[in-house]
Amino acid sequence: MPTVTLPPKENALFKRILRCYERKQYRNGLKFCKQILSNPRFAEHGETLAMKGLTLNCLGKKEEAYDLVRRGLRNDLKSHVCWHVYGLLQRSDKKYDEAIKCYRNALKWDKDNLQILRDLSLLQIQMRDLEGYRETRYQLLQLRPAQRASWIGYAIAYHLLEDYEMAAKILEEFRKTQQTSPDKVDYEYSELLLYQNQVLREAGLYKKALEHLTTYEKQICDKLAVEETKGELLLKLDRMEEATLVYRRLQERNPENWSYYHGLEKALKPANVEEKQKIYEEAWVKYPKGLVPRRLPLNFLSGEKFRECLDKYLRLNFSKGCPPVFTTLKSLYHDKEKVSIIEELVVGYETSLNNCRMFNPNDDGKEPPTTLLWVQYFLAQHFDQISQQSLALEYINAAIESTPTLIELFLVKAKIYKHAGNIKEAVKWMDEAQALDTADRFINSKCAKYMLKANMIKEAEEMCSKFTREGASAVENLNEMQCMWFQTECALAYKSMNKYGDALKKCHEIERHFVEITDDQFDFHTYCMRKMTLRSYVDLLKLEDVLRRHPFYFKAARTAIEIYLTLHDNPLTDENKELEADTANLSDKELKKLRNKQRRAQKKAQLEEEKKNAEKEKQLKNQKKKKEDDDEEIGGPKEELIPDKLAKVENPLEEAIKFLTPLKNLVKNKIETHLLAFEIYFRKEKFLLMLQSVKRAFAIDRHHPWLHQCLVRFLKAVSENKDLPESVLTVLKQETKRLFGETCAKSFNEAFLRKHSNSIPHRVAAAKMMYYLDSSTEKKAIELATALDESLNNRSVVISTDVLEGLCNGSLGNDKETAEMYRADCHKMYPHTLAFMPPGYEENMKITVNGDASAEPEEIGNDM
């Protein structure tokens, strides 16, 4: 149907519809649509129907909106308005590819429409269609050469395509058009100059970048950025004397910045350790109160010089009462020699301070009483770090006895118990710390996190509710605020309690946060060009490209994948049928006990349901107003995440792959990514993908215990599966021969054991595979895994807990007697660990939180 031209009266109404849409006056817009469409001559006017649909979409009536827009488009296929509106509708539904197609169709009928070109460029940069974005920005530059955004957008397109020289030329041409006096301070012009300099540096034109910086130095507002950039450029151009002067000036500005010392080191090029140390000795004289020049030499000094330098550094910190001193030294703990010197020195301080209130009996003047407190605080953290928790507890208890009101002491005590494997006791002490300062949000969050590790989800929610919005559920508010540390810990807690549906709900909520963060870029595409924050904008785009590399996403994805693997191996069955099967085997007394337990659980669930409903009603009232103001960006309500539905998914492995894909693209350097991929493909029997996963993991760490288990299972599966296509078998044979040589799974496992016979994690992996390959080797496998000799390396609470779990769940056989003996041996070695406590210990232990004893302790969460 051809385009219908509206007469002046209706045309004026149509323009008012557009104005109402822009001002978000949607109900008024619908009235004007009705006035045009009620006229029989224009009842099928395509553009009016499309605008009515767009307005209804903003009011949340999605289906009706799509019907009207499609009807309008059918009536007027040559209208750029109809195609543009259809594109906006698709965009609001996050169907960006479809929206781009619609905008391209709109441009066929009106190729110079600025608004459509702008909208198209936004979608292209959002979807990273950089070639298309460059073309669109070029059209906008031709149409509006006087506009600043046209030039900037075109330059950014070349910058992102890594054509730096072209980007620099465009920016220089644009800069020439900017008439600013050299003495006038203009922030936006300053940002343009810094962005131009960044492009020149990325192009490798260091000399040109330095000249540019020197020329326009007076007009740049960010003087610190100028100095830092100048220092980097002078180093790259090998102009060391000038670089030295720049870094000395920067040091005077901030003597606590590590990077300035590193820059000065590069500029001065010290030939040996003595010359390197001299740089820092000069800084000690110049900045007597500076801690960084005393800390940095500890990285490269050793032996007696290290001791001397460390002695001065520690004395200064302990006398001042500096709590984070241990954190600053933590990076040295990979060097055993340095660890023993630290221990020797600080233990000596503690003894001397106890005897004569001095670091050394030969010193002049006594130390204040608090010095001993900070020394004990340091020693507690030191012994915790080297896994001597009993000693750490002695020091922290001594410190608490002398100063029972210092919150930091209770935080460290809780941390020691957590590392010792007793999360219940850790929660008790963290709650004690929280009670000392209820207005401290950090300690409140820490306490909630520990509670989640102990599977005390309800208590953690109550703890967080002290700082969430009043009148709203704490969980909903934390989700709204994208509080991902809470959700990841919550997911792990639900997983350890086998509440897979609730755990998956939390994982999907985190996934949605990352989708939202990606979509939030839209707000910045136009804003950053308008405000000229170009360096930050380019950094944002680069960050968004690797967003799912974030540890929060990795943790959530890993948890979700592990749950989906469990659901694939053991699908959830109908609970009622299971109960009927169980009750048939019970005596009358046991049946009565079970019925009472079920009644109590039902009553508890009912009360919780009522509480939840009351909270939901409250929330709905609060959200009613908010919903009315929602604009077209929201694109309707999201699908509700129902735990039962998530746990009873039809194809768990396909759901797991959805979480795995971003990890494979962005977290390739972590071996866990490829091992999780192997676990999925092993269950799907995709041999070539299994091979790809083990090869990638092999390239990262060929000796990893989990990788070894995957390799043995892979070799066994390949040797047993004879139905594979010939081409697949050929590839598998070639690659396995290249990776492992001519070997079978059994001899490969034996070779691995011989190579790593002194490492407990590797012995456990080999023992599990020994039993997996041949169940008759159960006794030998158990002996291998349960050895706790002093000569063996890498012994820890985590690996010992894993062995005990293996003995209980059957992956190392079913010898209950050995499991109990192993538990008793581990208890002697790790007396504080909850997993190794004698049977019945849990029932006797109640945790008091805010004065209330929890009557029903949940399952133990040994998440280290």
Side-chain angles (χ1 to χ4, degrees), residues 103-163:
Y103 290 156
R104 288 200 185 281
N105 276 323
L107 288 168
K108 281 180 191 173
W109 310 111
D110 187 1
K111 64 183 172 67
D112 292 340
N113 187 303
L114 279 171
Q115 192 52 53
I116 298 171
L117 282 166
R118 280 195 198 109
D119 285 350
L120 175 62
S121 74
L122 292 183
L123 283 180
Q124 285 169 327
I125 190 69
Q126 181 79 3
M127 298 300 289
R128 301 296 188 270
D129 171 13
L130 299 176
E131 294 286 349
Y133 179 66
R134 182 178 61 187
E135 285 168 27
T136 309
R137 293 310 313 187
Y138 181 60
Q139 279 177 271
L140 282 164
L141 179 61
Q142 286 180 312
L143 292 168
R144 286 284 185 276
Q147 273 188 2
R148 185 166 70 176
S150 305
W151 286 90
I152 298 298
Y154 193 43
I156 284 174
Y158 275 104
H159 182 193
L160 295 173
L161 283 162
E162 296 182 6
D163 188 345

Side-chain angles (χ1 to χ4, degrees), residues 609-624:
E609 195 61 38
E610 282 170 16
K611 197 178 176 183
K612 269 186 186 176
N613 289 337
E615 274 180 4
K616 268 190 180 176
E617 274 179 42
K618 223 177 191 181
Q619 273 176 271
L620 285 169
K621 281 179 186 174
N622 292 338
Q623 287 173 6
K624 229 175 187 181

